[in-house]
Amino acid sequence: MGSMVQLLGFVFSVIFIFQSSISVVSQNSVGGGTVQGTVLIKGGAGIGRTDSDFICATLDWWPPEKCDYGTCSWGLASMLNLDLNNKILLNAIKAFEPLKLRLGGTLQDKVIYEIGDPQQPCQPFVKNSSEIFGFSEGCLPMSRWDELNTFFKKAGAVIIFGLNALNGRTLASDGSAVGPWNFSNADSLIRYTVKKKYTIHGWELGNELSGNGVGTSVTPDQYASDVITLKNLVKDIYRGFNVKPLIITPGGFFDANWFKELVDKTPRSLDVVSHHIYNLGPGVDDHLIDKILNPSYLDGEAQTFSSLQSLLKNAATSATAWVGEAGGAYNSGHNLVTNAFIFSFWYLDQLGMAASYDTKTYCRQTLIGGNYGLLNTTTFVPNPDYYSALLWHLLMGRTVLSTNFTGTKNIRAYSHCAKNSEGITLLLINLDSNTTVDVSVATEDAVTSEHNGITREEYHLTAKDGDLQSQTMLLNGKALTVSSSGDIPTLDPTSVDSSGPITVAPYSIVFAHIPNIDVPACR
């Protein structure tokens, strides 16, 4: 992307010139040097619109005994044992003003809430390989629910809570979960939450029980009935409230037929259709880096976004799409990949792609915990993706613009109206190891606003020492580190003359805020 803004009459000739002269570098090319590229932004209308708090992260239930492939990476990151007095944790959430937090995960469907009648003993999760999901039932004490909500209010977080959707069901011989949802324990929790005046943005029913499920599954017909039950429950408990929590479900992997039946049977009960993404395969995979750097592989997830967008558009529903959980590589990710600089290529590309298909919210697995946390599980220090998420949140506005890059296939390009400021923000990701790309910008339906000056702000992200597996990110050449008192560093841009192209170094990411590009979609 660059700042050479063309008037509409000259756009196509410019594009033709670039297309004729660009050196196209394949993914396996090691040619090096510098090539040219151009990005065409169509500003007549947006192609998608996100929530203002599009960025979301998850908190999970996994106890320290959760291990994958012989590695136990969760530590004390569960909602039940997380250190809520940690200053970095508080400041990391507060920096977003606000950050959405989705509380849930596999074990949410085995959580009993310490409330209601009859009240059961509040026992912790115990590892048991003969149990579904590998653990016994666990319990959320109301004293801990109080502590969590006090912390969330202090941090300014927006909370989505995942309810136990297996309560009351029995497991059939084929592994499916049958029978209606027993909502009595959830009812007690929701009533307690309202009584204590805790604000919940959305109640999500179940985790990965859609389609074939993970561990077990529920039929879409039964699930639809349970969603309607939850909707009626929330309407009753929140009677008199001007704003009621969202009803969110199913929090599982996209299965077109299953999702369609659920949506068709809940036209007035379902607010958000949530799905999960682990498209890189298992965390133990030795080829994760190759997949992340392969543009064709990254493109593969577009089909899921497109299919869900089409399903909702053609259904008699006002429900919107969320990514409720996305860790890239399942079973807790991979150390020094999903918590290192390299993963920002995947993560930011996912954010850009999801938004372009009208996804409203994108929840990263996890805020902390496993090997894919935005924060280090032990020290709470931000991993590179934390800063990628924060920059997106600060710079990328709600309206998504049509963005087409011409040149090397190793450049990923996305643009939005700028956040809380004039102009547009562009995101460029260079997947090439040794080729620099000078990117110029062409626009349709845009004018250059002289009163906004002739400079743009650039944020260049690179890995420390050029090591893709580094857990230290550089912003404009300076390492991003928290202060001794736990303060998140300020993310300062460099100011650049907007008459030249944007230079995107090998294996780097650039956000560019161009205030003097004025498009109708952003007015």
Side-chain angles (χ1 to χ4, degrees):
M1 298 175 290
S3 60
M4 182 184 67
V5 182
Q6 306 295 330
L7 294 177
L8 181 57
F10 297 97
V11 167
F12 296 105
S13 61
V14 170
I15 297 296
F16 176 78
I17 291 169
F18 274 114
Q19 286 178 325
S20 301
S21 62
I22 281 173
S23 300
V24 177
V25 184
S26 71
Q27 195 225 345
N28 298 318
S29 170
V30 289
T34 302
V35 299
Q36 310 300 311
T38 190
V39 66
L40 174 63
I41 298 170
K42 298 179 181 180
I47 60 169
R49 188 164 173 80
T50 69
D51 289 338
S52 58
D53 48 3
F54 174 71
I55 297 292
C56 168
T58 68
L59 287 174
D60 214 308
W61 293 101
W62 290 121
E65 294 79 17
K66 159 69 170 172
C67 306
D68 302 280
Y69 320 114
T71 300
C72 308
S73 60
W74 284 86
L76 300 179
S78 163
M79 279 176 272
L80 296 175
N81 55 35
L82 183 64
D83 179 7
L84 302 178
N85 294 313
N86 186 281
K87 290 183 179 179
I88 299 176
L89 177 66
L90 176 64
N91 291 335
I93 298 172
K94 287 178 71 172
F96 282 82
E97 297 182 293
L99 177 64
K100 266 188 184 133
L101 291 176
R102 180 248 183 183
L103 316 183
T106 300
L107 293 185
Q108 81 178 50
D109 291 316
K110 301 200 76 169
V111 177
I112 301 300
Y113 319 120
E114 187 196 29
I115 189 75
D117 186 30
Q119 193 168 309
Q120 302 180 34
C122 204
Q123 303 292 339
F125 290 109
V126 176
K127 193 168 186 178
N128 185 340
S129 59
S130 65
E131 291 257 10
I132 185 173
F133 310 134
F135 284 85
S136 68
E137 279 189 345
C139 176
L140 172 63
M142 289 302 96
S143 59
R144 182 60 174 179
W145 187 229
D146 294 339
E147 291 170 357
L148 285 165
N149 279 281
T150 299
F151 172 77
F152 295 145
K153 184 176 182 180
K154 187 177 180 181
V158 174
I159 302 303
I160 294 91
F161 187 86
L163 295 165
N164 178 348
L166 287 183
N167 203 23
R169 305 189 205 272
T170 57
L171 294 183
S173 57
D174 64 357
S176 64
V178 297
W181 174 49
N182 182 341
F183 60 85
S184 59
N185 195 215
D187 177 281
S188 298
L189 176 70
I190 297 171
R191 291 184 188 277
Y192 177 88
T193 300
V194 171
K195 181 180 178 182
K196 299 285 281 190
K197 298 183 179 179
Y198 301 147
T199 301
I200 302 297
H201 184 65
W203 295 101
E204 184 174 32
L205 183 63
N207 182 84
E208 296 178 357
L209 302 175
S210 57
N212 293 325
V214 175
T216 187
S217 62
V218 178
T219 66
D221 182 66
Q222 180 61 61
Y223 221 108
S225 176
D226 300 329
V227 168
I228 294 168
T229 295
L230 176 59
K231 178 70 171 183
N232 291 333
L233 200 69
V234 167
K235 282 174 63 178
D236 177 50
I237 297 173
Y238 287 86
R239 186 183 291 115
F241 283 65
N242 291 328
V243 178
K244 295 178 176 60
L246 299 172
I247 304 300
I248 305 168
T249 208
F253 296 101
F254 182 68
D255 177 307
N257 293 332
W258 195 101
F259 273 55
K260 184 178 187 306
E261 185 173 346
L262 175 73
V263 169
D264 287 344
K265 291 181 176 179
T266 56
R268 291 179 296 277
S269 299
L270 185 55
D271 299 307
V272 173
V273 176
S274 57
H275 67 109
H276 294 181
I277 296 175
Y278 288 90
N279 62 325
L280 297 173
V284 74
D285 190 338
D286 290 330
H287 301 287
L288 293 176
I289 290 177
D290 294 335
K291 291 177 179 178
I292 292 166
L293 295 175
N294 183 338
S296 296
Y297 194 93
L298 295 179
D299 285 339
E301 194 61 26
Q303 183 58 51
T304 296
F305 290 121
S306 176
S307 296
L308 180 53
Q309 181 187 37
S310 178
L311 188 160
L312 294 177
K313 184 178 180 181
N314 294 316
T317 183
S318 59
T320 60
W322 284 21
V323 172
E325 183 182 313
Y330 60 82
N331 290 342
S332 305
H334 189 113
N335 189 36
L336 300 183
V337 177
T338 55
N339 54 10
F341 179 82
I342 177 69
F343 210 50
S344 278
F345 292 145
W346 177 85
Y347 180 41
L348 286 171
D349 187 67
Q350 275 282 298
L351 294 179
M353 186 183 296
S356 68
Y357 286 99
D358 211 32
T359 302
K360 303 303 182 185
T361 289
Y362 192 108
C363 299
R364 166 62 178 264
Q365 175 81 345
T366 60
L367 174 64
I368 187 166
N371 284 318
Y372 35 35
L374 297 180
L375 306 178
N376 182 285
T377 302
T378 304
T379 66
F380 293 79
V381 168
N383 287 320
D385 280 2
Y386 171 84
Y387 296 110
S388 294
L390 184 55
L391 275 171
W392 177 289
H393 179 74
L394 295 174
L395 298 172
M396 304 291 267
R398 297 184 64 185
T399 301
V400 189
L401 303 173
S402 172
T403 310
N404 295 290
F405 181 79
T406 305
T408 164
K409 293 180 180 179
N410 288 327
I411 288 286
R412 316 287 288 183
Y414 301 96
S415 68
H416 286 222
C417 298
K419 183 93 170 263
N420 299 325
S421 60
E422 295 182 292
I424 64 172
T425 303
L426 304 102
L427 167 63
L428 285 174
I429 303 166
N430 188 354
L431 303 176
D432 195 285
S433 62
N434 62 352
T435 301
T436 298
V437 185
D438 284 341
V439 184
S440 298
V441 177
T443 61
E444 282 185 10
D445 302 315
V447 295
T448 305
S449 300
E450 297 297 337
H451 72 278
N452 285 331
I454 57 170
T455 60
R456 65 173 178 262
E457 295 174 329
E458 293 183 0
Y459 304 76
H460 292 255
L461 304 177
T462 52
K464 183 181 180 182
D465 301 324
D467 177 10
L468 292 182
Q469 293 181 266
S470 171
Q471 292 182 298
T472 300
M473 176 179 271
L474 308 184
L475 171 58
N476 296 324
K478 181 181 178 181
L480 293 170
T481 56
V482 297
S483 71
S484 57
S485 57
D487 294 325
I488 302 299
T490 57
L491 304 180
D492 299 320
T494 183
S495 203
V496 179
D497 185 339
S498 62
S499 62
I502 297 174
T503 299
V504 190
Y507 282 160
S508 77
I509 296 162
V510 181
F511 285 92
H513 172 219
I514 308 178
N516 62 338
I517 292 184
D518 180 18
V519 298
C522 300
R523 292 171 195 159

